Amino acid sequence: MAAKAQRTPRRTDALSKERIIEAATEILDTDGENALTLRVLTTRLNTGYGAIYHHVANKSDVLAAATDEVIARVMTGVVIDAPPREALRAVALGLFDAIDAHPWVGAQLSREPWRPALLEIYESIGRLLDALHVPERALFDAAGALVNYVLGVAGQNAANARALAHGEADRSVFLATAAAHWSQLDPDKYPFVHKAATQLREHDDREQFLAGVDIFLAGIATLR
Amino acid sequence: MAAKAQRTPRRTDALSKERIIEAATEILDTDGENALTLRVLTTRLNTGYGAIYHHVANKSDVLAAATDEVIARVMTGVVIDAPPREALRAVALGLFDAIDAHPWVGAQLSREPWRPALLEIYESIGRLLDALHVPERALFDAAGALVNYVLGVAGQNAANARALAHGEADRSVFLATAAAHWSQLDPDKYPFVHKAATQLREHDDREQFLAGVDIFLAGIATLR
DNA sequence: GACTCGTTGGATCGTCGCTCCAATACGCTA
DNA sequence: TAGCGTATTGGAGCGACGATCCAACGAGTC
């Protein structure tokens, strides 16, 4: 083998923000949120810090851009020519599934809500609520409520994924442990939580999320 | 003054987890989330890392304990002998105000939901929903939905506070900037957000939060 | 063929959370 | 009262992080 030149030659496969975000997304998806460091990113891309920072402002920028990408893909992929109510459920489920598949998106949405991803979500939900004939004066509040509910669930998903990432075997074990903990609480001090332990163990996140959406939609229907 | 001994003598004002959490809370409240570092904490308490780590497992532990304290104070302080519906609104508002005053609590609740604080919240909300005669099979979903909504708002509050902490003058300027940005969007691509810009500028977070709670409660009422 | 300038890679910086351990004095026992 | 065990203390130091800075490179332009 020829001796390596004093400096590695200029790469031919041009670096770009897209390529950086793509690599970041892969790392985030396979190894979780805190596995994404600039060092890992440089290794993965066979480059150095300078090259990356030339295309990208900082680490938050990478995370935000990756989030925007995921969300944009969801929002364009959802069928919106269904009846508004069904479309709303579809949008919500689409978001849930995307965040379930990429839990780091959930954390990011709460962390920097002013970036484009949330705008897309607001727009889509607001427009559908309008189609549902929610009165104009209530539209803003209703959209805010629904978006915040989605964000709350998103954050929880991200937290659970983080907990599962290190230790904690798998999800059913995790839930069983939590449920056992709940059911051991003093029924006099914690009657509700104690009773809910069973449902905690058996519940399906996705179905519960949808049940919440339905509750909100029912509440919104009373506004008309 | 006597020359300082080679090592500072054992302190007389005993260090304790309570004192550490108290100092941490002060730092968090006055200087924001990322101002809380162990170095700052040691300076504030006139001690070293070892002393702190003797009383506390790690930094998350400090944050979690501080959060538990704030939430516990809220949950015990709220009047619960009002009609359930009013009590629920009071609990929600109490949480909102606490998180508004201590935004870092909002971030922490999303970050580590399995610690005691959220348990307290679940219990209180679940019990009140039960008093509202929500059917047992729907209780778990309803409580989850309401809690997740609160968590979503809490996360947003935390994010806003973080944004305001550095730069960004004050809240009205921040909102005006965001609203201006929204209203400059293409009305054809973003009809809802474009229209909502005015309300974004003028809205009151607290009132909007309560409007969301009411929507949720109205939805819950349909479950009976 | 010379020059330019958008890219590139990595040495380096300051800060972080945390570990580790020698030193210390409180409170118990005799 | 003297001695001892142990809970507590402070801080040097470690490894990892995000970010900055700059010398070197080569694809395009004329």
Side-chain angles (χ1 to χ4, degrees):
Chain A
M1 282 205 193
K4 201 170 178 184
Q6 196 173 354
R7 275 184 78 86
T8 55
R10 165 174 285 217
R11 59 190 311 135
T12 52
D13 52 337
L15 202 55
S16 68
K17 186 159 183 176
E18 284 70 35
R19 273 179 46 78
I20 293 173
I21 289 164
E22 188 188 328
T25 304
E26 285 166 15
I27 295 170
L28 287 164
D29 283 342
T30 59
D31 299 328
E33 223 163 322
N34 8 16
L36 180 66
T37 69
L38 284 172
R39 279 159 235 272
V40 174
L41 209 47
T42 56
T43 308
R44 178 79 149 235
L45 290 167
N46 289 315
T47 181
Y49 303 105
I52 289 183
Y53 273 90
H54 178 76
H55 293 279
V56 143
N58 50 40
K59 193 186 166 181
S60 309
D61 192 19
V62 176
L63 254 164
T67 300
D68 290 344
E69 235 242 14
V70 169
I71 295 296
R73 196 155 31 220
V74 175
M75 301 317 274
T76 59
V78 173
V79 206
I80 49 162
D81 53 355
R85 201 190 131 82
E86 294 313 309
L88 264 172
R89 294 175 104 239
V91 167
L93 265 190
L95 284 172
F96 181 90
D97 289 339
I99 291 167
D100 193 48
H102 315 279
W104 48 273
V105 169
Q108 174 60 22
L109 285 177
S110 303
R111 207 177 295 127
E112 307 198 350
W114 47 86
R115 305 237 189 180
L118 203 59
L119 196 78
E120 222 72 39
I121 296 177
Y122 258 115
E123 177 60 32
S124 177
I125 286 183
R127 212 184 297 180
L128 286 170
L129 286 175
D130 195 24
L132 255 187
H133 302 110
V134 174
E136 176 140 12
R137 66 171 199 295
L139 206 52
F140 187 64
D141 289 347
L146 195 41
V147 169
N148 273 311
Y149 169 63
V150 173
L151 287 183
V153 176
Q156 297 297 297
N157 264 25
N160 290 339
R162 232 176 298 128
L164 286 175
H166 35 95
E168 297 302 349
D170 64 12
R171 184 191 137 82
S172 64
V173 175
F174 177 68
L175 274 186
T177 312
H181 182 222
W182 277 25
S183 65
Q184 273 162 23
L185 291 170
D186 178 359
D188 289 334
K189 268 193 83 176
Y190 296 96
F192 170 73
V193 171
H194 180 82
K195 218 169 48 182
T198 314
Q199 293 169 77
L200 173 64
R201 181 169 37 242
E202 294 168 358
H203 88 289
D204 178 312
D205 277 347
R206 199 167 185 267
E207 277 176 24
Q208 198 190 13
F209 170 72
L210 207 52
V213 172
D214 285 338
I215 289 176
F216 271 105
L217 288 179
I220 282 169
T222 69
L223 292 175
R224 112 183 21 176
Chain B
M1 274 197 203
K4 204 172 180 182
Q6 195 174 352
R7 274 185 78 87
T8 54
R10 169 176 282 217
R11 57 191 312 138
T12 53
D13 54 336
L15 202 54
S16 67
K17 188 158 180 176
E18 285 70 35
R19 274 179 46 77
I20 293 173
I21 288 164
E22 187 188 328
T25 303
E26 284 167 15
I27 295 170
L28 287 164
D29 283 343
T30 59
D31 300 328
E33 224 163 321
N34 12 17
L36 180 67
T37 69
L38 282 174
R39 280 158 234 273
V40 174
L41 208 47
T42 56
T43 307
R44 179 80 148 235
L45 290 168
N46 288 314
T47 181
Y49 303 106
I52 289 184
Y53 273 90
H54 179 76
H55 294 278
V56 143
N58 50 40
K59 193 185 167 181
S60 308
D61 191 18
V62 177
L63 255 163
T67 301
D68 290 343
E69 235 243 13
V70 169
I71 295 296
R73 198 157 28 223
V74 175
M75 301 315 276
T76 59
V78 172
V79 205
I80 50 162
D81 52 355
R85 202 191 132 84
E86 293 314 309
L88 265 170
R89 294 175 102 238
V91 167
L93 264 190
L95 284 172
F96 181 90
D97 289 338
I99 291 167
D100 194 48
H102 314 280
W104 47 275
V105 169
Q108 174 61 20
L109 285 177
S110 303
R111 207 175 295 128
E112 308 198 350
W114 48 85
R115 306 235 189 184
L118 203 59
L119 196 78
E120 223 71 39
I121 296 177
Y122 258 115
E123 177 60 32
S124 177
I125 286 182
R127 211 183 299 180
L128 286 170
L129 285 176
D130 195 24
L132 253 188
H133 302 109
V134 175
E136 180 140 354
R137 66 172 198 294
L139 206 53
F140 186 64
D141 289 346
L146 191 42
V147 169
N148 273 311
Y149 169 62
V150 173
L151 286 183
V153 175
Q156 297 296 298
N157 263 27
N160 290 339
R162 232 176 298 126
L164 286 175
H166 36 96
E168 296 302 349
D170 64 14
R171 184 190 138 83
S172 65
V173 175
F174 177 67
L175 274 186
T177 312
H181 181 221
W182 277 25
S183 65
Q184 274 161 24
L185 291 170
D186 178 358
D188 289 334
K189 267 194 83 178
Y190 295 96
F192 170 74
V193 171
H194 180 83
K195 217 169 48 182
T198 314
Q199 293 168 76
L200 172 65
R201 180 169 37 241
E202 294 168 357
H203 89 289
D204 177 313
D205 277 346
R206 200 167 185 268
E207 277 175 25
Q208 198 191 12
F209 170 72
L210 208 52
V213 172
D214 285 338
I215 289 175
F216 171 82
L217 289 178
I220 290 274
T222 68
L223 292 176
R224 126 179 13 181

